[in-house]
Amino acid sequence: AAASQLGPNVHALLTLLNKELGLSHGKSVKLLRTLFPELYVARATSVRSMQRTAARAAPVYQQLRQELRGAAEVAPDETGWRVGGKLAWLHTFVSDRTTCYVIDPTRSHQPAEQLLGLDWPGTLVHDGWRVYDRFTQAAHQQCVRHLQRRCQELLETAVRGAVYLPRAVLALIDQAFELRRAWRGHRLSGDALARKGWALTGRLRCLVHGRFTHEPNRRLAQHIEQHANAWFWFLIDPTIQATNHWAERAIRPAVVNRKVWGGNRTWLGAQAQSVLMSVIRTSLQRGRDAFNDLLQLICPPAPQLQTA
């Protein structure tokens, strides 16, 4: 019977090959057969291995969700996913030490609300998706990099007077980053930084207040005005990030994997995907060995007997 079983090393390796390195189940077992000809693993065996490993990791996943609720700063993001060939959404939530992925049928508010709770009092650093406005107890920092890219794209086609607004917004963003560099270099106190941050916010609001005949500039001004106090919040609280790069970096490998093998075939597989990606990403985020962490989940050490 033992000859037909796979050890924890193989299960952990299959998980890393599929969930971190992006190999499909078929390619994963082909690689194992190439390296270890005496080890026969079918594609279905790899699929079942993911399910068993995800079941072992489920308590850790719940613990990671709990840790995110206690975080002072969280950067969320979302991207398209596929489950059974149909459109779904991959939601990502990242703090300085923890990453959680949630695959959901819709791009709705539910994953964020179920994870954090609407009364969550921390700081959300996000890209302006209106769902996050429901978190009225949280502070908000809009991703400044998204605003920069939008202004730069407008300048590629804008002519004459239409260049004024995006150029002026970019100039204010440059000033904001220069102020934060001064604070980090101990050339500006925290109180002075906050005062200058509010002053920049006022200048930005004045800049977008008025009539704009160029339609792209009109939409840009409306977008800025809707989140007026959230663009330079990183000057009011300089300990937070100015962009949602935490979430973008966490979502990038998942997008690469999706392009390789398309997503998940079932919702059971999608749940396993959420759990295992979260555990692996958090392990790497904390500078740990993801392979060893998976081994501990698959085959936890036996409890030590207490001796008198």
Side-chain angles (χ1 to χ4, degrees), residues 270-292:
Q271 177 62 26
Q273 184 83 30
S274 301
V275 170
L276 294 175
M277 282 199 309
S278 300
V279 171
I280 293 172
R281 181 69 185 183
T282 300
S283 180
L284 297 174
Q285 190 176 354
R286 298 180 182 184
R288 298 173 59 88
D289 188 325
F291 182 78
N292 285 334

Side-chain angles (χ1 to χ4, degrees), residues 65-66 68-69 93 100 102 110-117:
R65 291 173 63 93
Q66 189 65 37
L68 269 176
R69 293 189 191 102
F93 304 90
C100 272
V102 180
Q110 291 184 357
E113 292 183 13
Q114 290 173 356
L115 179 62
L116 297 175

